Every structure is written in C-alpha cells, then in structure tokens.
Amino acid sequence: MPKIYILREACKGVNDCGICRFVCPKDVLGISDVLNRKGFSPPEVVDEAACTQCGNCMVYCPDMAIVVEMRKSKKAAQ
Amino acid sequence: MPKIYILREACKGVNDCGICRFVCPKDVLGISDVLNRKGFSPPEVVDEAACTQCGNCMVYCPDMAIVVEMRKSKKAAQ
Amino acid sequence: MKQVYQPMENKRVRTGKYFMMGNVACAEGAIAGGCEFAAGYPITPASEIAHTLAKRMLEVGGYFFQAEDEISAICAAIGASWTGKKVFIPTSGPGISLMLENIGFAVGIETPCVLVNVQRGGPTTGAPSMGLQGDMIQPRRGSHGDYEIIALCPSSPQEMFDYTVRAFNLAERYRTPVFVMADAFIGHMREEVAIPEADEIETTYRRIPKKGADLSTIKVFLDEEVAPMPIFGRGFKSHVTSSCHDEYGNRNLIDPTALDNFIQRLRNKVLKHRDEIVQVESDYDSCELALVAYGAVSRCAKEAVRVARSKGLDVGYFRVITPWPFPDREVQDLSHKVKKILVLENNSGQYYPYVRAEAAGRAEVEFLAPEILGQVHSLDYVAQKIEEMLR
Amino acid sequence: MKQVYQPMENKRVRTGKYFMMGNVACAEGAIAGGCEFAAGYPITPASEIAHTLAKRMLEVGGYFFQAEDEISAICAAIGASWTGKKVFIPTSGPGISLMLENIGFAVGIETPCVLVNVQRGGPTTGAPSMGLQGDMIQPRRGSHGDYEIIALCPSSPQEMFDYTVRAFNLAERYRTPVFVMADAFIGHMREEVAIPEADEIETTYRRIPKKGADLSTIKVFLDEEVAPMPIFGRGFKSHVTSSCHDEYGNRNLIDPTALDNFIQRLRNKVLKHRDEIVQVESDYDSCELALVAYGAVSRCAKEAVRVARSKGLDVGYFRVITPWPFPDREVQDLSHKVKKILVLENNSGQYYPYVRAEAAGRAEVEFLAPEILGQVHSLDYVAQKIEEMLR
Amino acid sequence: MRTDLIIAGVGGQGSLMAGTLLGTAAVVFDNKKALQTQSYSSELRGGAAITWVIISDEEIMYPRVVHPDILIAQAPQAIVRHLSQLKPGGILIVDSDMVKDPPRNGYELIQVPATSIASKEIGNSIVTNLVVLGALIGTTQVVSPDAVEKAIHISVPKSKVDINIKAFYRGLEHAPK
Amino acid sequence: MRTDLIIAGVGGQGSLMAGTLLGTAAVVFDNKKALQTQSYSSELRGGAAITWVIISDEEIMYPRVVHPDILIAQAPQAIVRHLSQLKPGGILIVDSDMVKDPPRNGYELIQVPATSIASKEIGNSIVTNLVVLGALIGTTQVVSPDAVEKAIHISVPKSKVDINIKAFYRGLEHAPK
Amino acid sequence: MSSVEHPLRKYLRPSVEATTFCPGCGDGTVLTSILQAIDELGMTMDDFVFVSGIGCAAWIISPNFNADVLHTTHGRPIAFATGIKLSLPEKKVMVVSGDGDLTAIGGNHLIHAARRNIEMVVICANNGIYGMTGGQVAPTTPREARTITTPYGSLENTFDISRMVQAAGASYVARWTAYQPRQMTKSIKKAIQKKGFAFIEAISQCPVQFGAKTGAGGAVEMLEMYRKSSISVKKAVEMSPQEIEDKIVTGEFIDTAKPELCDEIARLKERIRGEG
Amino acid sequence: MSSVEHPLRKYLRPSVEATTFCPGCGDGTVLTSILQAIDELGMTMDDFVFVSGIGCAAWIISPNFNADVLHTTHGRPIAFATGIKLSLPEKKVMVVSGDGDLTAIGGNHLIHAARRNIEMVVICANNGIYGMTGGQVAPTTPREARTITTPYGSLENTFDISRMVQAAGASYVARWTAYQPRQMTKSIKKAIQKKGFAFIEAISQCPVQFGAKTGAGGAVEMLEMYRKSSISVKKAVEMSPQEIEDKIVTGEFIDTAKPELCDEIARLKERIRGEG
Ligand SMILES: Cc1ncc(C[n+]2csc(CCOP(=O)(O)OP(=O)(O)O)c2C)c(N)n1
Ligand SMILES: Cc1ncc(C[n+]2csc(CCOP(=O)(O)OP(=O)(O)O)c2C)c(N)n1
Ligand code: SF4
Ligand code: SF4
Ligand code: SF4
Ligand code: SF4
Ligand code: SF4
Ligand code: SF4
Ligand SMILES: [Mg+2]
Ligand SMILES: [Mg+2]
C-alpha cells in the first residue's frame, strides 16, 4: 500500500488551495478539521487504499506539503 | 520631348551619390564639371532625347534635386 | 468575459468631506485640477493613485494609460501634453529614476506636466511601503544637465489634493514639469479631505498661439516670460526638439552661445517668477531657534514648536512648501531673524546643505535626522535637541 | 562577409608616451586598472571609449558588450561584477539618467563598478559635443533614496587614465559604484599621456569569502568595514537582493529598524573611510581669497591664481578631485584659513551650495559661472572677478 | 482631547478596515478630526497588519502614534510588538479567541471573544473587526455609535451593511458598561 | 613659450588630423607639451571643423585657446568666425585656393595654394592638410619638421606615409623663409 | 511522520520556512517543477546562477533556492543574467520572473536576449496580471478582463509571448500551464540542456489577484479552466484563428540550433590568441 | 530654370535649405517616398503629427517636414506618439526613426504599440548600423560585419524586425529597400489608411558609416546589392531557410484587421456616457 504523508505545517489550506484534492483521481484526500499553526486546514488521507500512486497530489502541490512514497522508491522516508 | 531639370544646388554630387545615373536606364545623365556652391558635381543631361520619362532619377534622388517634367503632367514648371 | 458597467459618477470634482487616503486625494486633485490624460505604471506606494484614476478618468471623459513601463508613461504623457491636454504621471522613486531622462526632455521642450513621487524607503527597491523623504534633490539634480524645476511638498491628504491642483496650475503657467513630493506615509495616510465645489477651485490653462499664427515670426520657446505653446493638431506646424534650439525651435548644435541661451532662458523662466511660485509657511519672530522642515516632518516640527513654546522656549517654525525653486530669500530672511536653525528631515540631510548655504554665516544651522530613518521623529527626540541647542 | 583579423597587441597596459585623446586614455586606464568586462551603448561624446574598448578588450581576453540600451548595459555590468569581474560602464549624461535606477541597485547590493560620465551640454539631448559640468550632483542624488557615492573628476587626458585606474581600486576596495566625471571638453581633448609599466600601476581587488565559507555564519553585506563579496559561481549560495536586507542578505520589509540599518550602514561604509577616499589639491595659506574648482575649470583656476599672484594678489587655490564623498573637512579647513572663497564651475552653480554650506559663516563664498555656459571661463573674466572680490 | 490607537492583527482580520470606519465616523459624521496610517503594502502578504488611528476634537498636528492610549490586539504578535508602547494606564482590548492570557498589569484590559461572536453569533468571521470596533466604542465612546453606523452605510457594499451593523452592536453590547 | 593655434576648415579637409599630427610631433618627438581640442561631433556632419592646438615648452595649464597666435583658415567661414579672435600681430595662414582676398590688416598673412598643390602637384586633394601644416612649420617652427615626419609615420596607414610626407615638405618649402 | 521531508526540500535555503505565496498560487507548482527538473538531470544547485526581477514570480527563487540567487530590479533580470552568462559561461543561468516583469517593463531585454541566442533558461510565470502590486492589468491580461486598473474591462490586445520570443530569435520556446507540471518539468530539462536561449512560458494561476478581480475564481477553478482550454501545438495548427481564440496553446513552439553568443565569443578569442 | 521647384518641396519647412544627410544616403529617398505617399493621398501636412527619436533617420522629419514635428529622445518616439494618438485620435500619427532607435533602445515601445494595435504608422529606416554616432553595431547589423564596435566582426544574430513586429501584434507590416521607392510609397499609402498599427521597414543605404566600415561600398554599390538580393515575400515562402539567408525578403508580411485601441476607448466612453 502506498504511503501518503501530509506535511501539515507546510500546507496553506484546502479552503483556498485544495489543489491536491482536485487533482486526485481517487478522492483519497479529505479535509482535516484540525487547523495547522498558521490557521489553515490541511488535507487528510481518507482512503489511502484507493490511492493509485499517481503522484498528482505531490507534483501539483504548490507548497511541497505532500509526499507520496512510491513503492519502487528507495528514498522514501520511514 | 521630356524635360529634365537638374536642381544643381540641391545635389550632393555624383561622386559620392550618383544614384540618378545608376537608376537611369538610358544613360541620359552625365557629370557636370561645374561644381555647385557646396563643391559638389551635379549630374547634367547629356542625352535628353533618350529619356523615356521613366521618372527613376526623380523618384530615387535622395535630395529632390531632379525634376522630370512628364508629358502628361500639367503641373510641371516652365 | 462578462462585463458589468458600473453607474458613472461623471463628476469632475468630487465635492464633499471625506476621510480619504492621501493617494486617493491626490488623484481627485488631479482630476479637479483639470487632468485629461494620466499615464503610469503600478508601483508601491503610489498605486492607489492609478487605481483611482483608472476608474475616474474614464468617467470624466479622460483616460488613464497604463504604460508598459515608466519610461513609456512619462513619454506618453508628454506627447499628450503637446496635444493640449493637462497630464499627470504618478509614481514612486524607482519610477522617477527611470523617467529622469525624459523629465529633462519635458523641461527642455517646455512641457506642462505634473509628476507625483510618493517616496518610499530606499535606495533601490528598499522597503516599498515605508515613507522616506529620500528623493528630495532628485527632481532638481536627477536628470543630467543644468535646469530648474518646481516641486511642492504636501503634509496631509488634504494637501495632496490642494497641492496637486496647484501643481497643475504651476505647470500650465510656466510650461514645465512640476513635482508633488509625497511619501508613503502621507500617501497611505487617511485624514479629513474637504473638496470644494468645482467653481471654487482655481484652474489655470496654458497660453496657446492665436489660430493661424505664423510660427516663423513668433517666439514659442525659451521666453523667460513663458512663450505660448504651439500645441499639435492646430496647424501650427511646430518644430519641437530637445536638441539645443533657439526661440523658434531651430536646432543649433554648434554655437556655444546657443547652448548658453538654451540653458539660461529655461532656468530664468522659473527663477524670474520665483516670487509667484515659492511658498513657505512660517511663524517666527526674532527668536533664538527656528525649526525648518517640510512634508510630514513639518507637522512634527510644528507640534514640537508648540510644545516648546508652551514650556516658554523661544522657538520658531519655518516650513518649506516648495522645496524647488529653492526659497532662497525666505531662508535668508529667516537667517537674519533667528540665531539658530534646526533642519529636520526624514533622511540623512539632503536639503540641509541648501538651507545651510543660504543661511551662511548669519544663523548657525544644524541637522537632525529621525531616530529611525523612515519614521518621522518622535516629539521627545526633537524636544531634547531643541533644549540642547538652546542650552 | 570577408573577415580580416588584425594582429593582436595583447598588452594589457599600453605603456608609453602618447598624444592621446582623453576618452582613449580613459579606456586604456580601465584596461590597466584590470577591467575584464565593459558594457555600453554608443553616445556622444563618450563613444570613443567604447570604440577603444571594443577592440582592446578582446585582445586582452575581456569583452566589451554593446547592450541594447543603457539600462541593459549597467545591468549586464553589475551581473558580471557578481561573477568576480572588474566592470566598466562608460556613457554620457542621458545614459546615466537612464541607468540611475540600477546605479542605486548597485549601491544597494554593494557591487564594485566604475562608471564614466563624459558630460555633455544639456538638459536633455542638448548639445552633445559641448562640455558642461552639468551632472555634478547627479551621481549622489540622481537615484532615489538615501545613499553615498564616490566620484572623481579628471582635468586632463592623463588624469582620465590615472583616475580611471584609481576608480577601479576604490570600487573594489569599497564594493560600490565609482564615477569618473569627465566632460566633452576633457574627453575629446588630446594631450600627453604617459602610461607606466604594468608593474608600476597599483591595482586593488575585492575581498571574497574563503572557499567553502558558510554564508549563514558570516556577514557578507552591510559591513561598514566592507564585507567580503560572495561572488557567484563559487558555491557560496549567495542570496543577493536590493530589497531592504540584513547583514546576511535576508530580506526584511517590515521592521523600520531594518531600513534604518540598511541605509546607515551603506552610507557609513563610504563616509567612515572618507579619509582614504577624499582627495583635494590645494595651494593656499592664510590668504584673502581662494578659488575652488574641479575638472577642466580647475586648470583655469590654477592659471588664474598664478597670474593673480604674479600681480601680487593674495589668492589661493583649492581643487576638488573627489567631489563625492564631499570633502567636508578639507573645505572647513580652507574656510578657516581664507576670508573669501570663489567657486568656479562650468554650470550654474551645482556644487557651490555644498561648498558654501560647509564654509558656513567663516569664509564668504561666491560663485562664478563662465561667460558662456559650456565654455571654460576665460582668464580675463576670472581675473576681473578676483580683483572685484579683493577690492 | 486626542486619543491615539493601534489596531493590530494579521492580514484578513480587517484591522485596517476597522480603523477606516472609525476615522470616517469621526470625520464625516461626528465632526471630529481623525488620522489613520498603516503598515501596509500590497508587496507584502500574510504577516502583520497594523493601523494607527488618532481621533481628536482639535486639529491633529503630530501625525504619528508613538504611545497609544488604546491598543486593540487581534492577534498574539500584536501584544509582542506593541504592548510596551501602550501608555501607562491605557486600554488594551483583545480578541480573546486569538489572544490567550494577555499580560494584565498597568492598564485596563477588555477581552472580547470577537472571532467566536462573529462566526457563531453573526455567522461570518469576516465581521470580527466590527465586533472589536463595537467593543472599542462601547468602552471609550471615542466616536458615537451612530456615526459608526453611518460610516458603515457609506463604506461597505449594500449587501453587507446589515451584517456589519449587527456585528458592531453585538460588540458594543459586549463592552463593560 | 606657449603658442595658441586655431585650424579651421570644413569637414573632410583634415583640419583635425593636422592638429593631431602637430600635437603628436610636439609631445612624442620634440619633448614639448601640446594640447588639442576640437569642435567635433559625430552627431554633426558637414559644416565647420575646427581644432584648437596649444604647443608649449612648459606645462600647459589653461586649456582653452581664446586669442590664438596663429589662425589657419582652410575655408572662408574660418575667417568670419575666427579672425577677430586672432591676437594683434598674429599670423594668418590661408589656403589661398579656398580663401580669396583675406583681410590684410594687423597680422602677418601667409597664403598657400594648398588645395591645388595637393591635388595637382601631389595628386591627391586628401593631403591638403599636410601642405598647410608644412606651411605652418615652415613659417613658425612651432615644432621641428623632423618631429612631424615621425608623427606622420606613426599616425597614418603605411601606404599613405609617403604622400603625406611629400605634401608636408612641399608646404614647408612654400612657406616664406 | 514529522521527520518526512519532501524530496525537493533539500534544494531550498535552510532558513526558508515557507514560500510567501498565497494559498493555491501556481507559482509554487512552477517552483516544484524547476527543482524536479534539476533533480532529474542530476545537477546540483552549484551548477546554476538564478536571477529574478520583482514580483511574486520573482520570489520563486528568492530567497527560496539554496543557490546563487540575484534578485534584481523590476524588469531587468535578463539584462543582469546576460552579464553573468557572458562572464561565467561555464555555469547555467536561469531567470525566473513574472509576465509583467519580463514582458512589460522588461520586454526589450527579453527580445534582445532571444536575438543574441545567449544560452540561458528564462521561465516566465505568466499569471496574466501584476500580482505583487495588487492586481493591475498586464500585457498578458485577456481583453475585456476587469482588473484594478481596468475597472470597465481591458481594452488592449494580449501578447502571444511565446510566439514573439520565437520571432525574436530564441532556440527553444515552450508553453505549459500549471495544470501540466510534468510536461513543464520535462520541458525545463530540455531548456537547461539547450545550447542557446530557451524560454518557457508557465501559465500560473493567481487566485488572489487575477482570480478575484477578473472573476476567474479560485485556484481549483482556474486549474479546471486550464485543463479545459489547453490544446496542443499540433492540434492548434489545424484550427482556425477563431477556434483558437479562447484556447491556451501548449507545447513546444520551436526547438532548433543556431549560433550561440558565448560560444562565438570563445571562438573569436581563440582565434585572436592564435594570431597574436 | 532656377524657378523649377520639386513638386514635393512644398511639404518641406521653408527655412530648410537642404537635408543634413550625407551624399547618397538612402534616408533622402525614404523622405521623398513618404511625401509622395501623402501627396498621392491628397492629404495635407496638417492631417499629421510626426514623431522621431534620435539618429540620422530621425532627422528625416526634423526639421524638414513642414508640419507638427516632435523630435524626441533616443528610442522613445513610439511612446510619445502613443500619448499623442490617444489624445488626438482624429489625426494621423507617423513615427519615422532609425533601426537603432526603434529596435535597440526603443524595442519595448515598438512591441507594445504593435500589441495594442494603436493606429499609427511607424517607418523604420533600417541602415543596419548606428549612423549618427559613428558606425557602431546595431541589432540589425549582419553577423560578422565589421563596425567600429565590432572590429573583428559582429558575433550577434540579427533581428528580423518585421517578423517580430508582426508576432507582437501589428495589423500591417511591410519591408522595402531604398531601391524600391515606388513600392515603398504605395505601401506607406496603405499604412496611412490602416486602422491599426502599421509598420514599414525601409532598408536604407548608409554609405558613410555602414558602407565604409563593413566594406559594403558606396551608395550605388549598396543599391545594386539591394537590387540583387531582394526577393518577394511570395517567393520566399517557397525557399529554404538557407536559400533565404543572404536575401532581403521584401513585400507585405501582414495586412489584417483587429481591434484598435483608440476605437475601443471611444466605444467604451460612449457606453459609459450612455449609462451615466
Ligand atoms: C521600476 C519599478 N516599477 C514598478 C515596480 C512595482 N512592481 C513591483 S512587482 C510589479 C509587477 C509584478 O508583476 P509580474 O512581473 O507579472 O509578477 P507577479 O507579481 O504577477 O508574479 C510591479 C509593477 C517596481 N518595483 N519597480
Ligand atoms: C539615451 C541615449 N543614448 C544614446 C544616444 C546616442 N545616440 C544618438 S543617435 C544613436 C543611434 C542612432 O542609430 P539609428 O537609430 O539606427 O539611426 P541612424 O543614425 O542609423 O539613422 C545613438 C546611440 C542618445 N542620444 N541618447
Ligand atoms: S498519489 Fe494520486 S491517487 Fe494517491 S492520493 Fe495522490 S493524487 Fe490521489
Ligand atoms: S495542494 Fe498542498 S498546499 Fe494545497 S491544500 Fe493540498 S496539501 Fe495543502
Ligand atoms: S526619367 Fe528615366 S530615362 Fe529620363 S533621365 Fe530620368 S531616369 Fe533617365
Ligand atoms: S541622385 Fe540627386 S543628389 Fe544624387 S547625384 Fe543625382 S541629382 Fe545629385
Ligand atoms: S498575488 Fe497571485 S501570484 Fe502573487 S502570491 Fe498571491 S496568488 Fe500568487
Ligand atoms: S551617416 Fe549614414 S545614415 Fe547618417 S546621413 Fe550619413 S549616410 Fe545617411
Ligand atoms: Mg504576473
Ligand atoms: Mg541606423
């Protein structure tokens, strides 16, 4: 199963941004109701199993706030 | 017969310019050996009869120093 | 794209009492002063002037031209002025720095135009939203060559309005660029602005040669009494060049006397009328010490004087409203009456040498920068200096 | 098109004695001073500098970049300076007017570079081949904001060479733009120019951080003692911005104290070292009158003093070699020693207020423009004024 | 009488707007004098938003607020930056939703849960600034409530007038009488 | 001894070049001082070409020629513009092909048919300036003929050296001894 | 989980906590695409000098990129970059700046750099507006769009930047939207490897100024618009001007080889040395 | 015979005795072509405002044309002309200036005026060099040509000005050489009548600077070269880039209709008035 990390403090909020959710083909991401320190609502993973590892969320996120650990990848963090 | 007027004082000299002679298809124009007041040698008409009234000399002259009186023209000076 | 047209106010003068931002008041002043063409390029902290004009100019039948850069803005405005329009160029320091070549051009071909410099913190890009009086000598000495200029220095949003109107009048009267030297502090300040009825606002228009005038027989340049302006489109067949020229606009690059004539007459056009242009506000008798200031800092100086007097100190006040042409006689008068002069500026002392030179040898002149450049002096700080100087 | 390669001289220093045009001497001075990159745009009366450089720079392994305009020229030169090259920007007044925004930029990010202004007759396009000292305040006050600058003022082709070399040294030493303020008269003047051997020419190079230095721990900006320059391409990972920044290059647009720090430290970098920079040439004792001048006019002043002394008049001489930073102490000293000062300039009195302000109250200071602006004063005219002042 | 105020928050809280309404109320409807300045730049986003307001019965000469009589803090940074400037005995008004446990010594402290009032009671957090403004007027009467109401009418889009006025009065009521 | 000269003609006559050769001769080969200025601009074409030259045994301080000792007129305008500036008793050298009937009072007049010498005797009107220069040196010895010859060698393209030197000496011979 | 770092984070200046962009700003995606390209090429930040002008887009690199970064005056980055490249030809020089910066005030430097074909990558983050100064009309703003300086709609025609840069002489020109980060990355890689002037127009959403003022909406709405309106260069060739009008033509416009300035200079110097 | 006057003489300022151009300068032919066009259209000088920058070409109109003439700063004539046209839309505004003026220092104004499609005729007398200042390289100078600032030959690529102006948005673009004065006149007539931005590149021989420095020769040699090298736009389409390289492609590049700025402004003002 892929692993999706949300770097919550880097996110500027799904309300004004939400690009990750828009580009996710599988509706893997929802909205966290815990604000981050800057007062934004980051996404949260609601259906990790559905994730196809397409990487869209990571590639499109303007704030480097999502890391998708690819199965093939060696580099991914623990 | 066409009439070609050389406005001698306007001319900057066939030595450095000479465009009129270059564009005349009929070698109508020669070089005057009387300098104008600025010290330039204007062209002079050497074979008026050969002139086809093509108007080249007048149209190309950068210094408005030639007037070709066209047969059809009413305006031409006397 | 859907277009929504908002109802037009169509009022040239926005009469009434407002709590208005300085930059907005400036734009309203331009329109009230008769501006018909404005050109600019966005820049902090002057952009609100453009924003206001972009809407209002169309409503009153004029046009705000957002140019591709500041150079284009000043050039377009000069071009428009030569069609007979009153023109306006609001910007900030970096914009003026880019415009300087063509400000000199406007001086050289005697073009009425009003520039506003909402000064910001610098040098260079610096701190765009901080107000520094950092460009005070630039209007006069920023463009190459020897020339005079007119500049006004407002200290409130109301004066942003009033002086912009006056700037248009001076520009038209003397056929020359006029600067309004604001800063971010005044430009972004909101305060009461009372705008009178249109007919209470005095507006001047340039002189134009009589219809059908033969320009080979009348002087349309370099007249110290201000020549009529042979604007375009009226059949005057004007030859307008910033190359060294004579009173008729004929280019002359060879005779040394032609250059001398060109420079001197342009300068004298302003200097000979300095009495009609120069404005100071003063409140001093033969006192021990006078505070000299302009713009926002003059409000600090005025208050500091009031406080000092309330403590029984012998202090006077002298505000420069028109930094250029330099109020030489007024400063001389001051220097005859007071013993000491303290110049306050929100910079490191740009105008100070000019004051000191003029007061030469009569009064002792000192300078005080604010504690923090970019922030108007605190009253305590000034009070302390006053006491020190009176000790 | 056929290309003919001329034999390369390949000599960085064109040692020898020549009857050389000032502009050519200036170009040779730049090369001798270590210039590796020059950028310009053709303009009368400075073009001969570019013509010389266009050929010579390639021969000595450098490059002359003819830019699309003056703005591009100064920017390219600043960029090249940040790669560690010594850079040079020759132009005339209109070119400087266009460059001013980015001259301020160079000051703000502390970029060594040498500018030459071969001043011409103006304002505006004016009379391009006439020499006027019309841009003397422009280097210091032409760009927006509050900053200091260094400028040198040659009076002969030999000094065009010498001072250009010195300008490079000062630029490198203080990491800042340095102006050589020539004019058409000096630029187009031919006179003896003696160029020494390469090893007799002193050249300075900027300090650079040690290889591998971690810039988050060392100050590379705003050091009043001149920080080492973290040039590009060496792995320093420099962040260079002209936005208000701190000693490490971090942008800070909010804190007022950051702006104050930014301005003051840049100014002090020059002002604190004024003793090493300021140069005057003087020849006065406690005399009645001293003539103050710079550039071409200083030769007139010097000769006028010689003539006056030969008539037994008590006259001294004071030449400003570095108009900026202003030689305040030197002028103060002068004003203590002499009773009267006559400032001679080939303009309407641009530098005069600064001299007068500094001499404040001690000496009486007057100004004399030439009979014809653009032409150095005639000796008779100056003699007459001297006598008048001594009467 | 001259009253110097600082309203400080972060971008988006409407601090500047509150100051402008205050000034408009004073100048246009209460026949007082007012002066507003601001640390503002469209070249900056996020971060602090601060406005300085002076309200006076007489002409305002000195244009800066150096030691405010009143500090309105809509965010914790406001306390850090500006509390030390507050005049001894001055008034500190805080949005208690944003500023927890403000220091309590040497001044009058007024706490208003402005954000929650706005978002929960009024239904839109955008009018938090009006709640704060209401609290200020309820406490100090630096301008009349009526003038503020009129200022709102001429300053905000028609569709937003009611909600702004409602928020203002809700804040006003909340102020200690 | 300081000698002030004006060489004035129209563009193309080589007046400036003559001045530069003179200066080069003085400075590089005669160990004298020289200073040359000119009314010159590539932004101007045609019209007057004027150069001012100062030759001196000592350092030259004052850099302008106000009242020349010698006026060389290669064109009639030169007389109109500059004759009044000539020092009383000064020398006027004219190209007599170009300047007909120069006024004759108050100075020493030397007439050289430089243009015809150049074009007819030397075969190229381009070296008229060298004939004039020769006449000057022949008359005044302001620099040595040898120095001029050397100056020509280092200043003109190799292929033109001979003709220039020839013209120079032809002018020199022509000068009144 | 807090120990997880984004793989491109290592290219950012350690002191940088977050970019200053508004939420949903496309400039963040452009930033990521650039770093991704550098990463994929296996290059290091020390291989580059980055230059920007003034504007939001100019802050993509300043101070974020942990490299030599020159943040310059408005409109001039290409001019500075030209001086840098001429003096440091062995380094890659990349300019990243906004549409206003590069095509309004900076238009002249853009076309001349393209003409010279000086090796350099220029990435223009085109948001169709002046973002940083508060939403004024730009040369890239669509006709009729309302902005703060065109309250009644813009009356001016819009630059086809890429086409103009190509006509000015560039060797490589491509356009992508922020909805195409992968293509953008690929294209940036090509541009970096290009011997010549390489230009990439990166259409980037500005929800806060463009979106709000013109009514184009938020980040997601704008991306959706990009998705719908984009057509490829190839497809565009077959379409009529009218059909293309509202479309965004994306893809590579040119990819060619011509003499590069630094190369030519090196060659000339070599020759002069040889003959000296 | 001295009473004969050239029929176009009446358009020159009476005080003008002769142009300041060197003998054989093509700018004189361009001057004549412009006046001929005005004459043939039956217009008067009062229908126009003329604007120029600095350079030899700028002196075509200044002071010669007996009309409203604004001789401006170097590179800026189009910017001035823009202000004039916006304020005096009922007049024809014509800019005549040099290649250096319009495409080097003035390049930005050129492309933006083309983009705006503001009605204006711009005639660029392109002599491939900076004539007035003594023969320095220009953006139009052929590669490898020797000039006073490229003593070893120019290393830079050359602008295809007309193509660039077209790409920037102009409605009418044509190129002619001074060997084609009749076509030039016809084209200027069209340009004057164009509702939009009309640009004419007039290739003009400069024997004194270009000819002498590059070795291209005198006026007649250069005209002969123009004659030999010119090919028509139509023919060029069928040729390969290599074949075209040394050719001068002449003719009309574009002649189209698109929204013109002054028109648009007038229409908007009308609408605002209507609703006021
Ligand atoms: C000479 C000068 N003029 C104007 C400005 C103000 N200014 C700063 S950024 C900017 C516009 C930026 O627009 P763009 O390049 O499109 O960048 P964006 O913010 O949209 O990314 C302007 C006009 C300036 N800093 N300097
Ligand atoms: C700001 C500025 N820079 C430089 C100059 C000098 N200058 C005058 S004309 C000119 C070049 C003219 O070239 P071009 O436009 O091609 O006209 P040409 O003389 O070739 O017809 C230059 C560089 C100037 N006058 N102003
Ligand atoms: S990798 Fe793709 S599928 Fe998985 S969460 Fe991200 S966008 Fe959705
Ligand atoms: S795209 Fe990134 S910044 Fe935007 S909401 Fe998703 S995680 Fe947050
Ligand atoms: S009209 Fe034609 S044929 Fe006659 S002289 Fe002129 S060019 Fe020759
Ligand atoms: S073309 Fe005209 S100027 Fe030239 S030589 Fe003939 S008549 Fe004289
Ligand atoms: S204003 Fe626009 S371009 Fe600038 S950061 Fe915000 S969203 Fe991005
Ligand atoms: S220099 Fe060239 S362009 Fe200028 S007038 Fe002479 S020939 Fe014509
Ligand atoms: Mg943008
Ligand atoms: Mg040219």
Side-chain angles (χ1 to χ4, degrees), chain F residues 97 113-128 131 167:
Chain F
D97 293 322
T115 304
S116 42
I117 292 176
S119 46
K120 289 173 193 157
E121 297 186 27
I122 320 284
N124 197 336
S125 68
I126 211 111
V127 294
T128 308
V131 179

Side-chain angles (χ1 to χ4, degrees), chain E residues 27-117:
Chain E
V27 164
V28 183
F29 300 107
D30 267 357
N31 222 14
K32 295 190 175 189
K33 304 292 172 189
L35 186 155
Q36 179 186 21
T37 55
Q38 55 208 253
S39 171
Y40 148 85
S41 163
S42 48
E43 290 194 16
L44 289 175
R45 57 202 81 258
I50 314 159
T51 187
W52 294 265
V53 183
I54 304 166
I55 309 281
S56 175
D57 301 321
E58 293 128 52
E59 216 188 313
I60 298 166
M61 190 48 58
Y62 187 73
R64 263 183 71 201
V65 173
V66 177
H67 296 298
D69 303 289
I70 303 169
L71 169 62
I72 301 178
Q74 297 190 263
Q77 302 96 299
I79 301 286
V80 180
R81 279 177 171 262
H82 302 290
L83 189 59
S84 64
Q85 297 159 13
L86 187 62
K87 270 200 196 130
I91 300 172
L92 170 65
I93 301 177
V94 303
D95 179 338
S96 53
D97 294 321
M98 306 303 290
V99 182
K100 308 287 181 196
D101 299 319
R104 293 178 171 273
N105 291 327
Y107 45 79
E108 192 180 330
L109 173 67
I110 291 154
Q111 307 193 61
V112 192
T115 304
S116 42
I117 291 176

Side-chain angles (χ1 to χ4, degrees), chain C residues 101 144, chain D residues 41-44 47 66 69-70 91-96 98 120 125 128, chain F residues 43 45, chain H residues 21 25 27 53-59 72-76 97-105 125-134 136 138-140 206 209:
Chain C
E101 188 202 10
H144 62 280
Chain D
Y41 187 79
I43 187 162
T44 306
S47 294
Q66 186 177 312
D69 59 22
E70 283 90 348
T91 185
S92 180
I96 297 286
L98 284 169
R120 58 189 237 177
T125 42
Chain F
E43 291 193 16
R45 57 200 81 258
Chain H
F21 303 124
C25 176
D27 288 356
I54 305 273
C56 296
W59 287 19
T72 70
T73 45
H74 186 42
R76 316 300 169 191
S97 220
D99 50 315
D101 191 81
L102 293 172
T103 77
I105 188 167
N126 179 0
N127 55 11
I129 204 151
Y130 293 151
M132 182 167 273
T133 43
Q136 297 88 1
T140 46
C206 164
Q209 296 296 353

Side-chain angles (χ1 to χ4, degrees), chain F residues 80-145:
Chain F
V80 180
R81 279 176 171 262
H82 301 290
L83 189 59
S84 64
Q85 297 159 16
L86 188 60
K87 270 201 197 128
I91 300 172
L92 171 65
I93 302 176
V94 302
D95 179 337
S96 54
D97 293 322
M98 306 303 290
V99 182
K100 309 285 180 196
D101 299 320
R104 296 179 168 269
N105 292 326
Y107 46 80
E108 191 181 329
L109 175 66
I110 292 154
Q111 306 194 63
V112 192
T115 304
S116 42
I117 292 176
S119 46
K120 289 173 193 157
E121 297 186 27
I122 320 284
N124 197 336
S125 68
I126 211 111
V127 294
T128 308
N129 56 343
L130 269 290
V131 179
V132 171
L133 189 59
L136 167 71
I137 304 304
T139 313
T140 67
Q141 292 276 356
V142 63
V143 297
S144 68

Side-chain angles (χ1 to χ4, degrees), chain D residues 5 8 58 61-63 65 68-69 71 75-76 79-80 83 85 102 105 232-233 237-241 243 251, chain G residues 13 46 62-63 66-69 71 73 76 79-80 83-84 87 108-109 112 116 265 268-269 271-272 275:
Chain D
Y5 291 98
M8 186 180 64
L58 276 172
Y63 191 60
F65 172 59
E68 60 270 24
D69 59 22
I71 296 177
C75 293
T83 71
K85 308 278 186 207
N102 289 292
F105 177 71
F232 296 155
K237 303 181 191 300
S238 311
H239 182 241
V240 185
T241 177
S243 296
R251 185 184 292 120
Chain G
R13 212 171 276 280
D46 285 351
S62 163
N66 196 23
D68 286 336
V69 168
H71 174 242
T73 46
R76 316 300 170 191
F80 288 99
I84 293 170
S87 311
N108 208 29
H109 311 302
H112 281 274
R116 292 187 183 107
I265 294 171
L268 174 57
K269 283 191 183 170
R271 232 185 299 185
I272 294 178
E275 288 170 32

Side-chain angles (χ1 to χ4, degrees), chain D residues 17-19 21 44 48 120 128-129 185 188-192 296 299-300 302-303 375-379, chain F residues 19-20 23-24 27-28 31-38 40-44 60-64 66:
Chain D
K17 187 163 106 173
Y18 303 92
F19 185 61
M21 190 190 270
T44 306
E48 295 83 1
R120 58 189 237 177
S129 62
F185 188 64
H188 284 165
M189 181 187 288
R190 279 191 181 77
E191 207 174 8
E192 177 177 326
R299 296 175 69 151
C300 165
K302 197 167 191 174
E303 182 66 7
Q375 308 291 306
V376 170
H377 313 60
S378 76
L379 284 172
Chain F
T20 306
T24 305
V27 163
V28 183
N31 221 12
K32 296 190 174 187
K33 304 293 172 190
L35 185 155
Q36 179 186 20
T37 55
Q38 54 209 252
Y40 148 85
S41 164
S42 47
E43 291 193 16
L44 289 174
I60 298 166
M61 190 47 58
Y62 186 74
R64 264 183 69 201
V66 177

